Amino acid sequence: MEDRNLDNEILMILPRRTFFKASCLPGNWEVDQDPAGLSVLVDQQPAAYASWKDEDDFGMDRPAILFDVHGCDPRTKQELFEAVVSRLAIAYDQIPGKYPLYIRLSEADLDLIAQASHLGFIPYFGKWAKKTPEQSEKSWQAITDSLRTRYPQGLNA
């Protein structure tokens, strides 16, 4: 997938009531919540930020997770992702509504795609603002093949 456009995104959907408990944080991590989202501080330095924002990917505004991480190794990035996503998902489930939460990820970020899948996100194969159903399916087939190559024994093997 190295030859793909790094800005090419895919969607993953998180069914409601997937998380019941926020992930544990190492001793030197803190979560700082503001009205717009969550920050994770590592040794009192900003490491990651996530929020949900209404995006018009389906012809109407629906909440999408936005995730930004500041330079760190892939394992820490996955742990930061789990820390913020688990907390956002629990908060989102407190809000009445019929739509699941979703996330946009770069097709090139296989580590986060694998982690999102491990956490309960499922691929979205349908039509959305950036892709037809056929394009979504083609992207997911390529991602699946790449994940099988990168993680032949699974994510935690």
Side-chain angles (χ1 to χ4, degrees):
M1 292 192 41
E2 286 75 16
D3 61 339
R4 291 178 170 258
N5 180 348
L6 293 178
D7 293 330
N8 205 11
E9 294 177 314
I10 50 87
L11 293 186
M12 295 184 81
I13 305 295
L14 183 67
R16 283 190 170 268
R17 300 187 209 343
T18 300
F19 287 94
F20 297 98
K21 181 180 175 200
S23 66
C24 296
L25 299 175
N28 61 336
W29 288 22
E30 298 173 47
V31 173
D32 184 27
Q33 185 172 353
D34 62 42
L38 299 171
S39 295
V40 177
L41 308 174
V42 176
D43 293 326
Q44 300 181 343
Q45 297 299 313
Y49 182 79
S51 64
W52 71 70
K53 176 185 168 199
D54 284 341
E55 294 285 339
D56 185 11
D57 286 324
F58 304 100
M60 65 180 155
D61 284 346
R62 288 189 33 201
I65 294 175
L66 306 175
F67 176 70
D68 184 34
V69 66
H70 309 286
C72 61
D73 63 87
R75 186 71 204 144
T76 302
K77 183 177 180 180
Q78 290 175 330
E79 291 171 353
L80 289 165
F81 182 74
E82 183 173 351
V84 295
V85 166
S86 65
R87 286 161 176 78
L88 284 175
I90 290 168
Y92 183 70
D93 281 341
Q94 305 294 320
I95 301 169
K98 63 180 180 177
Y99 297 113
L101 198 53
Y102 72 97
I103 191 167
R104 285 185 190 186
L105 294 172
S106 167
E107 286 186 23
D109 201 340
L110 293 176
D111 294 331
L112 276 190
I113 292 170
Q115 183 68 13
S117 179
H118 181 74
L119 294 175
F121 282 86
I122 55 175
Y124 182 74
F125 293 102
K127 180 181 190 239
W128 62 289
K130 291 190 176 185
K131 293 194 178 190
T132 65
E134 295 78 19
Q135 291 169 324
S136 290
E137 188 171 340
K138 185 177 179 183
S139 291
W140 276 108
Q141 185 58 54
I143 290 166
T144 300
D145 293 344
S146 296
L147 287 171
R148 285 184 181 136
T149 300
R150 179 172 275 174
Y151 300 105
Q153 303 297 317
L155 182 61
N156 292 325

